[in-house]
Amino acid sequence: MSPDDLNELLPSKGDVSAIKLHAHCGASVTVVTLSKNPMLFELDGAVYPTVYALWKKPDMLQSLTTHPQVFSKLKGGADLMLPGVVLRNGSQYGRTSFGNLAKGDPCAVDLTDNRAAVAVGKTALSSTEMYESGKRGKGVLVLHTYEDHLWQMGEATPIPDLGPPFPTGDDVQEGDQVWANDNDSNAGVASEDRVQPEVSLQDSQTVECKSNLESMDELLYYCFIKALKTSARNVDYPILVSTFYGTHLLPGVPAGHVLDLKKTSYKKFGQFLKFVREMGLIDVKQLTKGVESIVSVCVDHPEMRRFKVVEEDVGYGGEPEGGGRRPYEPPQIEELYLVSAHTATFFKLFGYG
């Protein structure tokens, strides 16, 4: 942030104040306000602009773009996953596709129809690492969003229309989904600095800090695409949703992982299918009343072409770790003889029976 940006956001003659917030997770957050609108917040020694500040100075931070329908997941506590990042169509996919960011840099998130920031966070990977990951994994660790408690401290103004993030006439490459990381205080890999302040501008202020589980949504999506490209590749559609889930999706869960639909943001497989149907990956219909079937798959979809199976271990089906599918072993056949009543007397003469 340049001195000019700071002077524009916090003019010397403005009504500027600082508020100290104490987080449930033990973190201390300082919020700087201008006329009661939070403009900056400091967390773990780093200073971030709020959405109010970015609406005034939209070029203050580099932004990553995602789809509008994804925003509800960001508000619910999700980090922005790289499959959900939308890139400009026609630009060559390379090391500059995600800009010039270092790991841990402040970063904004905007939408395909409006460059006004809807979230602020820090990068989970550098731009080069994002490219080398093949658009897999976390992109932005979200700290603050439009309509969260920090936004509610201010005048609660709606998102301004600043125009699309890409030049008019440019198409964009379709992203997938922001894979939500459900929040849990017992998470082993936690993003403890998610700023969700629950503010009372009186004697005390508190901040809700949420930690993030490894994304169960991402695991579900990975297993779904893997099933379409492997075991269900030559299936004669339509196929019952229940059959697809039990016969093709679950056996593809990587070893060491357990897929729990209730821990995804979708809660039910039908809700997930609704999402991938909207993406254009599949078509789902009720061929029998109350029973859904997958009737077709778009094999030429960009996500199908880009996806690569990175492992062959199977965790759910009980097959061995490290070795992929168990090699075929022919049955061992042994010839056995039965002593009948007619021959029993003969064997008794020799001490048998």
Side-chain angles (χ1 to χ4, degrees), residues 59-112:
D59 296 323
M60 189 186 311
L61 293 183
Q62 181 176 321
S63 296
L64 294 181
T65 302
T66 190
H67 292 289
Q69 59 266 35
V70 160
F71 179 55
S72 61
K73 298 187 180 297
L74 294 181
K75 290 196 298 181
D79 290 330
L80 178 62
M81 308 304 289
L82 289 176
V85 175
V86 178
L87 305 177
R88 184 182 304 181
N89 197 22
S91 60
Q92 184 176 1
Y93 183 70
R95 297 183 183 276
T96 60
S97 296
F98 298 93
N100 185 23
L101 292 163
K103 182 177 179 179
D105 277 357
C107 182
V109 178
D110 58 27
L111 305 177
T112 54

Side-chain angles (χ1 to χ4, degrees), residues 265-306:
S265 62
Y266 305 99
K267 307 303 180 185
K268 296 181 180 180
F269 191 50
Q271 291 299 316
F272 172 76
L273 291 180
K274 181 180 179 181
F275 169 75
V276 292
R277 181 185 181 185
E278 291 174 352
M279 287 178 59
L281 271 169
I282 61 171
D283 190 15
V284 179
K285 293 182 179 179
Q286 286 192 12
L287 302 181
T288 305
K289 186 176 181 180
V291 181
E292 291 189 328
S293 298
I294 300 174
V295 296
S296 63
V297 176
C298 180
V299 295
D300 293 326
H301 194 281
E303 285 305 296
M304 293 287 285
R305 295 197 303 267
R306 183 166 60 228

